[in-house]
Amino acid sequence: MKIKWLNPLMLTCLSTAFVALGFGSCKSQSNVSKQQRAELKGKMAKIQQEISDNHATLAKMRSDYENIGRGECVYGGPNMMQEAVSRMQERQDNQRSYARKKMNEVQQAIDSLNRERDKVATELEQLDKKK
């Protein structure tokens, strides 16, 4: 039984193909890291935009919360005054509890985005250390 060796011309062609495809070079790895860095920076910008949007929403909600009940007048005669005031206070309490619930949801979303931003920042630092 004879062992068949690969032709040196065949090995040269294979190595040329590997080089042409970019395997075994540092450039392919640096391109991947540049691409990852660009993706992470894009993700970071998106997260920052969402955080700023949520902060603006939260500021508006706080302003609306402070304005609940301002400028309300209760009309009615002396025998209807207690009932009208109690309905107004009940309505305002319901509005305040709903507003607090919505503000807490927005604050939780901001906290979640901050944690995500920290993760992305950590990944960017790790890419910088690899360089």
Side-chain angles (χ1 to χ4, degrees):
M1 189 158 151
K2 190 174 179 184
I3 299 176
K4 188 173 183 183
W5 294 95
L6 291 176
N7 189 352
L9 181 61
M10 180 67 106
L11 291 175
T12 305
C13 289
L14 285 174
S15 65
T16 305
F18 281 131
V19 170
L21 292 174
F23 295 111
S25 69
C26 294
K27 282 188 176 182
S28 64
Q29 292 175 355
S30 67
N31 288 340
V32 170
S33 66
K34 285 180 184 178
Q35 183 181 7
Q36 286 177 343
R37 185 180 317 282
E39 288 175 4
L40 289 175
K41 284 185 179 182
K43 191 174 181 181
M44 180 72 88
K46 181 181 173 188
I47 290 171
Q48 290 288 8
Q49 182 63 36
E50 288 180 21
I51 288 173
S52 65
D53 290 345
N54 282 341
H55 276 295
T57 303
L58 188 61
K60 182 173 180 344
M61 290 174 121
R62 285 183 179 152
S63 173
D64 292 345
Y65 179 81
E66 292 172 358
N67 290 331
I68 291 175
R70 285 195 180 164
E72 280 193 45
C73 295
V74 178
Y75 296 103
N79 57 350
M80 296 172 49
M81 200 59 148
Q82 287 293 67
E83 182 182 336
V85 169
S86 67
R87 278 188 281 151
M88 179 186 71
Q89 289 175 344
E90 183 180 333
R91 185 181 65 251
Q92 289 176 1
D93 290 340
N94 289 340
Q95 288 175 345
R96 284 188 179 102
S97 66
Y98 180 75
R100 277 193 301 267
K101 183 175 138 185
K102 288 296 182 183
M103 285 190 297
N104 285 338
E105 289 174 2
V106 172
Q107 186 62 46
Q108 288 173 356
I110 290 172
D111 293 340
S112 173
L113 287 170
N114 283 331
R115 285 190 296 272
E116 186 69 26
R117 183 189 62 199
D118 293 341
K119 287 179 186 177
V120 171
T122 303
E123 289 177 14
L124 277 172
E125 288 175 8
Q126 289 175 353
L127 280 177
D128 289 340
K129 285 180 183 178
K130 284 182 181 179
K131 242 184 172 181

